[in-house]
Amino acid sequence: MDSFQLLGSVVLYGFMVGILATAVVTVTVRNLFHAAIFLAFTLLGVAIIYFFMHAEFIAAIQILLYVGAIMILVIFAIMLTAKLSDPNISQSNRQKVPTLVLTIGTAILFITAILRTPWQLASQPQTTDAVKLGQALMGEFVFPFEVISLVLLVALIGAIAVARSDE
Amino acid sequence: MTVPIQHILIFSTLLFLTGLYGAITRRNMVGILMSIEIMLNAVNINFIAFSRLLDVSPEVAQVFVIFIIVLAAATAAELGGAALTFAYTIESSAIIIVSFLLTRDLSIVQRFGWLFLGPIILSAESIVSRSWENGFLHNDFFVLLVLALVLMITGAFLFLDKKEGGSEDEVNMPTILVVVGATYLALLVWLTLHSVLIQDVATMVSLTIYTIVGLVLFIRSGVTNSVTLRFGGIALLGFVVFRLLIVEVWQMELTGRIITFFVIGLLLISTAFMGRKKKLEHLVEDQNSEHLS
């Protein structure tokens, strides 16, 4: 049992390092198409993290929506735009060094805060399933749910309005 | 799950900051978009970790993740009660306004006004709901409030745009929407006051409010020559008088009766006086102009 848990932890840490590595490649690589591919791996890794934390429904959604739908959109956008798919054009601006300093400073701040906060842990790991999730969505959170459906409607109509030719 | 929560949080912090770095340094929109996706995912990992390890309801955290990811459309059949009316109201209004902005064709949009029939029928349940007896801050209040406001805003929006177009029809959808919305507001005032105050006082206050609004509408209709406004004013005043004659006189205590009659009578007399004065001024002006010509 202990050796299994140890193995699980090691695998989880391995995935964390892998996700961070692919994310770094995504934001730094020169070729945007490669960046999109690495982003897909990052998102897939995040889905695996969800599986590790027993959030199976969220993990399924992550794979379906992010890896399935959003990534396809991004790749289409890159491939249809000549300027974006050209690897010789630099895709970064000149703020690299200040941003790096800022990011590292923020990281130190956040990590200190995380380590000093007394977290109120549950006595044992909690879990939930899709049925309870659906009940919460249709019961307690039904208003935000409706608002979000409205956002989706606006996005649909907005896409039609943008794509429509001007006459 | 043997990994401590601090490690997961540190990991998601680093992931978030990686995304932030990308969002600042990338030069084009697609690159920025991809970086923002990374940041959103970091936030989602935090939520999931909290739902698993912290002493909170696991559904709450995961529902937030769903809101961030899914943006799913609602199938109204699975909803019920107040939420369904809310949804119908807002969506009807959104469809009308957006389709008007897109097509600029009022005749099409006017037909969409019938979409409001759904929430109006559903709101009947809120009007007769028993929860009005225990105060007014509950779902049914907000249902009626949202319905009234949305109806009036949509109607006013179409009304303003119609004026720019300049086409004059007699009775059309914007007018109907505004009138129905105003009716709902009046109803809301009545129900709210009755749930807060004592029965007699509430009736008195709401009747006074109706009288004031009716008189304002009536005077305003004299200025703008609008048939709808005059009709609304007359309807409100008529309701007040009718209600007074039929019910109030027999039910109220003596003091309440006297005060109500006094206030309403005062308002009626002053308005009649002002209207008369205005008419006289008009007559004088007309005569003057005739003299001049």
Side-chain angles (χ1 to χ4, degrees), chain B residues 116 120 147-148 151-152 174-186:
Chain B
F116 278 117
I120 286 174
L147 190 55
L151 279 170
M152 293 201 74
T175 321
I176 295 175
L177 288 183
V178 172
V179 168
V180 175
T183 317
Y184 266 97
L185 271 186

Side-chain angles (χ1 to χ4, degrees), chain B residues 261-274:
Chain B
F261 273 121
F262 182 73
V263 171
I264 292 175
L266 203 67
L267 284 166
L268 278 175
I269 290 171
S270 58
T271 320
F273 182 69
M274 279 172 63

Side-chain angles (χ1 to χ4, degrees), chain A residues 36 39-40 42-44 46-47 50 58-74, chain B residues 33-34 36-42 44 65 67-70:
Chain A
L39 178 63
T42 310
L43 298 175
L44 213 55
V46 171
Y50 292 161
I58 306 285
I61 289 178
Q62 168 91 5
I63 292 175
L64 270 179
L65 276 178
Y66 268 118
V67 186
I70 297 179
M71 279 317 300
I72 300 291
L73 267 180
V74 168
Chain B
L33 181 76
M34 291 197 293
I36 289 175
E37 301 286 359
I38 293 178
M39 290 161 80
L40 289 178
N41 267 279
N44 283 347
V65 175
F67 283 149
I68 294 176
I69 300 178
V70 185

Side-chain angles (χ1 to χ4, degrees), chain A residues 5 9 12-13 16 19-20 23-24 26-29 32 35-36 39 43 46 50 53-55 57-58 61-62 65-66 70 74 78 84 90-93 95-96 99-100 103 107 110-111 114 119-122 125-128 132-133 137-138 141-142 144-146 148-150 152 157 161 164, chain B residues 1-11 13-15 17-19 21-22 24-28 30-31 33-35 37-38 40-41 44-45 48-56 58-60 62-67 69-74 78-79 83 86-87 90-91 94-95 98 102:
Chain A
Q5 285 195 340
S9 308
L12 186 54
Y13 282 121
M16 284 184 184
I19 291 169
L20 277 180
V24 168
T26 305
V27 299
T28 51
V29 76
L32 258 191
L39 178 63
L43 298 175
V46 171
Y50 292 161
M53 298 197 213
H54 292 259
F57 183 64
I58 306 285
I61 289 178
Q62 168 91 5
L65 276 178
Y66 268 118
I70 297 179
V74 168
I78 293 170
L84 291 183
S90 172
Q91 299 290 351
S92 303
N93 55 24
Q95 299 167 344
K96 273 186 183 174
T99 313
L100 207 58
T103 316
F110 277 5
I111 290 170
I114 288 169
W119 298 100
Q120 295 188 340
L121 295 178
Q126 302 193 65
T127 180
T128 181
K132 280 185 198 158
L133 222 50
L137 212 54
M138 288 298 170
F141 296 97
V142 74
F145 184 79
E146 272 307 310
I148 238 169
S149 76
L150 184 68
L152 206 62
I157 299 173
R164 200 178 66 127
Chain B
M1 192 67 200
T2 48
V3 178
I5 189 167
Q6 284 90 348
H7 292 190
I8 297 171
L9 293 182
I10 289 171
F11 158 69
T13 305
L14 292 179
L15 193 60
L17 291 171
T18 313
Y21 173 83
I24 297 177
T25 55
R26 279 294 184 192
R27 193 176 262 177
N28 58 57
V30 176
L33 181 76
M34 291 197 293
S35 307
E37 301 286 359
I38 293 178
L40 289 178
N41 267 279
N44 283 347
I45 290 175
I48 294 291
F50 288 152
S51 95
R52 177 84 176 140
L53 294 173
L54 285 195
D55 196 10
V56 295
E59 285 89 13
V60 174
Q62 299 211 3
V63 161
F64 273 107
V65 175
I66 292 182
F67 283 149
I69 300 178
V70 185
L71 294 172
E78 289 169 64
L79 304 175
F86 266 133
I90 296 175
E91 278 170 20
I95 287 174
V98 171
L102 282 183

